[in-house]
Amino acid sequence: MPVSLGLGLPQMKQYDIGRDVATVARAAEDVGYESLWVFERVLFPEPATQGLYGVPGLPWPDQYRSVADPLVTLTLAAAATDRARLGTSVLVAPLHVPFQLARSLASLDVASGGRVIAGLGTGWSLDEYAAASVAPFEKRGTVLDELLDVCAAVWGPDPVSYRGELTTIAPAEVGPKPVRPIPVYLPANSPRATRRLVDRADGWMPVAMGTSELAEQWRRVQDLAAERGRQRPIEVCARANARYSAKPLEGADRQPFHGSVAQIVEDLAAHAAVGVTEILLDLQGTTRDAAELADVAAEVYRAARAAGV
């Protein structure tokens, strides 16, 4: 079967959020995209404490100077669409109060008719933690674990009751409840994170940076799942951070998903062959406006399906 294709919604500074989110969401659903996705950046530090992704000297992209709130963006998309699933890739868990985030996700799931996917992670930006986190950076894994516990409690039957390091819920009714169990997707960037994924999540969210690396990561996840006796299959949604070019990029140094529509489709096909069930294509960083984003996304989708991807 063809891999499911998702599209990143316009959140960056070159877009008019109030107009463009709905426009792109509707266009993507109409052309055939099965899911719509958002990411989270809360500030643009000047100067930055660390480079992008924690890599020394790697500059933050200029588009990160203004990134719309992910849940507001998904709410706009939910109101404009009927079928596409609505995912976060990812919400930085420690930047949110666990109880409030669990309720917001449940409310959005109800409002959208049961279409939410909760992609959660721990983040990497020390500046974002300093400004907005509920706990120090060193406790990021603990916060994510508690968030997963709180979501399970809040989304489950009443009365809800929970006591953790950050959260205390006295026995109470908490609603609305999700339409169905909200799928939780997690990264697997360390041995601890991989165990958390295998033991607690429905799906895995890797970054599609090359087929050999993705295949090796997927093998490690599957091996650990077998070792720990997991019976349920693990869904996989690989994030492809694309850089669109009207002309093909030449040379051996071309990065995956950088280039023309034809080159992006070639990379989609190669990564789908690894065995992932879904690929999220985020084109918004290098398209000028919503019209170009929607047009390029449509061209990629049609070319991918024509190629059997």
Side-chain angles (χ1 to χ4, degrees):
M1 292 181 61
V3 67
S4 294
L5 292 177
L7 182 69
L9 290 167
Q11 295 173 261
M12 295 178 177
K13 62 178 294 187
Q14 69 266 44
Y15 301 103
D16 181 330
I17 304 304
R19 178 192 65 210
D20 292 345
V21 171
T23 298
V24 171
R26 279 193 296 265
E29 185 178 74
D30 288 346
V31 81
Y33 280 94
E34 290 93 342
S35 56
L36 303 167
W37 297 82
V38 292
F39 76 107
E40 184 161 46
R41 287 271 70 84
V42 300
L43 50 73
F44 187 97
E46 289 190 307
T49 301
Q50 60 188 152
L52 185 68
Y53 310 131
V55 178
L58 186 63
W60 291 47
D62 188 62
Q63 294 95 330
Y64 282 7
R65 291 182 181 277
S66 176
V67 176
D69 180 87
L71 294 184
V72 171
T73 303
L74 274 192
T75 301
L76 293 170
T81 56
D82 299 311
R83 302 179 305 279
R85 288 170 291 118
L86 306 165
T88 61
S89 175
V90 296
L91 292 179
V92 182
L95 305 185
H96 299 268
V97 174
F99 179 76
Q100 292 177 344
L101 180 57
R103 289 199 67 247
S104 294
L105 289 168
S107 296
L108 180 56
D109 192 66
V110 172
S112 65
R115 294 189 279 149
V116 169
I117 300 169
L120 306 170
T122 55
W124 51 267
S125 171
L126 299 178
D127 294 291
E128 290 184 334
Y129 268 76
S133 70
V134 299
F137 184 77
E138 293 74 20
K139 302 191 74 172
R140 59 195 182 280
T142 301
V143 176
L144 178 54
D145 287 332
E146 179 157 324
L147 174 59
L148 295 174
D149 290 339
V150 171
C151 285
V154 168
W155 299 343
D158 292 322
V160 174
S161 180
Y162 179 80
R163 181 176 295 276
E165 186 173 338
L166 296 171
T167 310
T168 298
I169 308 172
E173 292 187 18
V174 182
K177 301 296 184 183
V179 173
R180 88 294 190 228
I182 295 176
V184 172
Y185 285 25
L186 297 173
N189 300 325
S190 69
R192 179 182 178 184
T194 306
R195 289 193 299 271
R196 182 188 293 117
L197 161 69
V198 167
D199 293 345
R200 308 199 62 179
D202 300 285
W204 174 43
M205 299 207 76
V207 176
M209 291 295 291
T211 55
S212 59
E213 180 179 350
L214 182 61
E216 175 59 24
Q217 290 177 335
W218 182 216
R219 184 193 61 77
R220 289 199 297 266
V221 170
Q222 291 176 303
D223 287 349
L224 185 62
E227 178 185 319
R228 297 179 76 83
R230 178 177 173 128
Q231 300 298 314
R232 293 182 297 132
I234 298 174
E235 300 295 322
V236 183
C237 180
R239 164 176 274 277
N241 295 314
R243 294 184 64 84
Y244 165 70
S245 170
K247 296 180 180 180
L249 299 182
E250 305 295 339
D253 292 334
R254 184 181 75 86
Q255 298 297 309
F257 300 101
H258 290 196
S260 66
V261 167
Q263 289 176 316
I264 291 172
V265 170
E266 288 176 6
D267 292 331
L268 284 171
H271 285 74
V274 171
V276 301
T277 50
E278 186 164 14
I279 298 176
L280 151 62
L281 186 64
D282 199 335
L283 291 157
Q284 66 175 304
T286 51
T287 48
R288 294 185 301 270
D289 53 31
E292 185 178 34
L293 173 56
D295 288 346
V296 173
E299 190 176 352
V300 169
Y301 185 89
R302 294 185 181 113
R305 293 313 189 210
V309 179

